[in-house]
Amino acid sequence: MSHHHRSKARAKAAEQDTQSTRLFLLVTGALAAIALVWAAFSTVALAEDAPAAESGTFAIDESHVHAAFKVSHLGFSETIGGFDKISGSFTLDAENLSTSSVSVTIDTASVDSGWDARDEHLRGDDFFKVEEFPDMTFASTSVEPTGATTAKVTGDLTMLGQTHPVTLDVTFNQAGKHPFSGKYVAGFSATGTLDRTHWGMEYGVPAIGKDIDLMIQAEGVRAE
């Protein structure tokens, strides 16, 4: 093949590669656009189709409630723990969600971070002082709906003998008859952050983080 023919072949191959690249980009862009539209549509559909909770007073199901925390450990990792004994109740007003309320009691000695020696330290005077303060409580003071299935719940958290406000971002998951028990159940998820030094828990700051991330899952069984 002559030099001229080889040059034309290379030029044609380059043009084909360019066309293939353009086609790939066009297809990829179209798929991305479809994905974004579908995600937006799905979010709206979920909000519109979310089951509405019925009013009532609910006892927290102690076998399906989790109050977990996360705190920075020297910047190397984040320690995650929670509490094994939680009780309480909440009321739901389906007609006026802002009048709903929640009250929770946590057994501080039930703290569980997955390491016995650390848990003993957490129960001691540097942290929860469980002998002097065996309970930690949260009692809501306001419920502010922020969407079809979300709300900000503000309440008084009493810990180490001090009471300060905490706001939780709450998501309503589902409500309805439990498929096994037949009882009416409502479930929620919540997140929040608090500064532990506001309650006088200052040990290890700043090496051990003062800002505590909260992660909560709860189911309640309605009183019939």
Side-chain angles (χ1 to χ4, degrees):
M1 179 182 293
S2 68
H3 176 74
H4 176 70
H5 288 160
R6 286 198 297 269
S7 297
K8 288 183 66 176
R10 284 196 295 268
K12 186 175 182 180
E15 183 180 354
Q16 289 176 340
D17 288 342
T18 300
Q19 291 176 346
S20 297
T21 300
R22 288 175 179 170
L23 179 60
F24 174 78
L25 291 175
L26 285 172
V27 172
T28 302
L31 289 174
I34 292 171
L36 288 173
V37 171
W38 177 251
F41 174 80
S42 297
T43 300
V44 173
L46 285 173
E48 292 177 348
D49 295 340
E54 297 178 6
S55 300
T57 299
F58 296 73
I60 290 176
D61 180 351
E62 296 183 26
S63 67
H64 289 94
V65 58
H66 308 277
F69 59 82
K70 183 172 67 174
V71 59
S72 174
H73 177 251
L74 309 175
F76 293 116
S77 67
E78 292 183 307
T79 297
I80 299 174
F83 297 89
D84 295 333
K85 295 181 180 180
I86 305 168
S87 60
S89 63
F90 57 86
T91 61
L92 286 177
D93 185 341
E95 301 300 321
N96 185 5
L97 188 61
S98 63
T99 64
S100 301
S101 63
V102 59
S103 177
V104 176
T105 298
I106 296 174
D107 180 347
T108 55
S110 72
V111 64
D112 183 357
S113 68
W115 190 259
D116 290 344
R118 178 171 52 234
D119 292 342
E120 284 303 313
H121 190 192
L122 289 170
R123 295 183 185 106
D125 290 342
D126 289 334
F127 291 100
F128 288 105
K129 303 180 181 180
V130 301
E131 291 189 5
E132 184 178 359
F133 304 106
D135 293 329
M136 176 168 48
T137 62
F138 177 83
S140 65
T141 55
S142 70
V143 176
E144 178 189 352
T146 56
T149 59
T150 58
K152 286 188 178 294
V153 177
T154 299
D156 291 329
L157 177 66
T158 299
M159 179 172 66
L160 298 174
Q162 298 188 39
T163 301
H164 300 288
V166 170
T167 297
L168 301 174
D169 292 308
V170 179
T171 298
F172 166 59
N173 296 327
Q174 180 173 297
K177 285 191 175 182
H178 194 285
F180 301 138
S181 68
K183 296 179 179 179
Y184 190 81
V185 175
F188 297 84
S189 302
T191 59
T193 303
L194 62 83
D195 180 345
R196 64 186 174 97
T197 64
H198 289 172
W199 286 263
M201 187 185 290
E202 299 182 352
Y203 178 85
V205 174
I208 300 174
K210 67 175 183 177
D211 293 325
I212 310 298
D213 292 331
L214 307 174
M215 299 156 286
I216 300 164
Q217 298 287 326
E219 296 180 19
V221 180
R222 186 173 65 183
E224 299 297 342

